[in-house]
Amino acid sequence: MLKTQFSSFNLECGTDEAGRGCLAGPVTAAAVILPQEYCNSVLNDSKQLSEKKRNTLRSIIEDDAISFAVVHIPENEIDAINILNASIKAMHVSISQLKVAPNFIIVDGNKFKPYEGILHRTIIKGDSKYLNIAAASILAKTYRDAYMEKIHKEYPMYNWKQNKGYPTKEHRAAIEKYGITKYHRKSFRLLPEQYRLDL
């Protein structure tokens, strides 16, 4: 069972991102503050849960959280500042949009930049250790998936409804056949070296 939180601070925020390795679409981050003694035996790293469970938990998290926020950073900004900076920016902006300011931040992974002088700690695999990071991972994942399903209707040939923009064989085959869209990240290697892509 995941721990409620890392610190003894009463307004600890967990933050995580989704879509960092995708070829198309935004990188999405969420920030979540849960009650200090919060319990949920189902809540876990979004990657360990089915889509149905993630979507069920999304509503529960939104109802139970003291505050939450979700932010998309679009592909043109990812290309301009690189994916690491875009991921951190998404987390910063999501924290800034919380209705209650946190007094401690825990971050999934090992990369972060200080935010507004608030103490923080990076935690590798934090989404499988702490409830507030797990909650952030679920919100980031479900909101981004919903976004990709929406733009799938605009470009169905890439099957983003299924692959969510990740570099599957099917997605890369569609890029080779149809070229790129305004949603593709031009700074990423969209095709393997043996293919040439005119940008």
Side-chain angles (χ1 to χ4, degrees), residues 138-151:
I138 288 167
L139 293 191
K141 172 68 174 164
T142 54
Y143 274 75
R144 188 182 185 281
D145 283 358
Y147 180 94
M148 295 306 295
E149 288 167 14
K150 180 180 177 181
I151 64 173

Side-chain angles (χ1 to χ4, degrees), residues 106-126:
I106 57 174
V107 185
D108 184 54
N110 61 358
K111 302 288 185 183
F112 195 66
K113 296 175 183 176
Y115 175 77
E116 295 292 324
I118 301 171
L119 292 172
H120 74 269
R121 179 66 63 95
T122 56
I123 302 169
I124 294 172
K125 296 185 178 178

Side-chain angles (χ1 to χ4, degrees), residues 89-105:
K89 179 176 180 178
M91 289 189 275
H92 279 196
V93 177
S94 66
I95 295 167
S96 76
Q97 292 185 3
L98 292 169
K99 293 178 181 177
V100 180
N103 48 22
F104 195 79
I105 300 166

Side-chain angles (χ1 to χ4, degrees), residues 57-77:
L57 282 165
R58 170 177 162 171
S59 298
I60 293 169
I61 293 162
E62 291 176 349
D63 287 341
D64 292 350
I66 293 171
S67 187
F68 72 90
V70 185
V71 169
H72 300 298
I73 299 294
E75 46 289 322
N76 61 333
E77 195 162 354

Side-chain angles (χ1 to χ4, degrees), residues 3-89:
K3 296 178 182 177
T4 302
Q5 57 183 60
F6 175 84
S7 71
S8 59
F9 288 86
N10 63 326
L11 292 173
E12 180 181 282
C13 164
T15 186
D16 197 8
E17 53 74 28
R20 189 168 164 178
C22 294
L23 303 181
V27 63
T28 303
V32 180
I33 301 175
L34 294 172
Q36 203 167 13
E37 301 300 324
Y38 187 72
C39 292
N40 186 315
S41 60
V42 181
L43 184 52
N44 200 347
D45 167 16
S46 64
K47 295 183 289 296
Q48 305 299 320
L49 300 170
S50 67
E51 182 178 7
K52 184 177 179 181
K53 280 188 177 179
R54 286 195 298 267
N55 286 324
T56 299
L57 282 165
R58 170 177 162 171
S59 298
I60 293 169
I61 293 162
E62 291 176 349
D63 287 341
D64 292 350
I66 293 171
S67 187
F68 72 90
V70 185
V71 169
H72 300 298
I73 299 294
E75 46 289 322
N76 61 333
E77 195 162 354
I78 293 170
D79 290 336
I81 64 175
N82 79 44
I83 186 59
L84 175 59
N85 286 325
S87 298
I88 293 172
K89 179 176 180 178

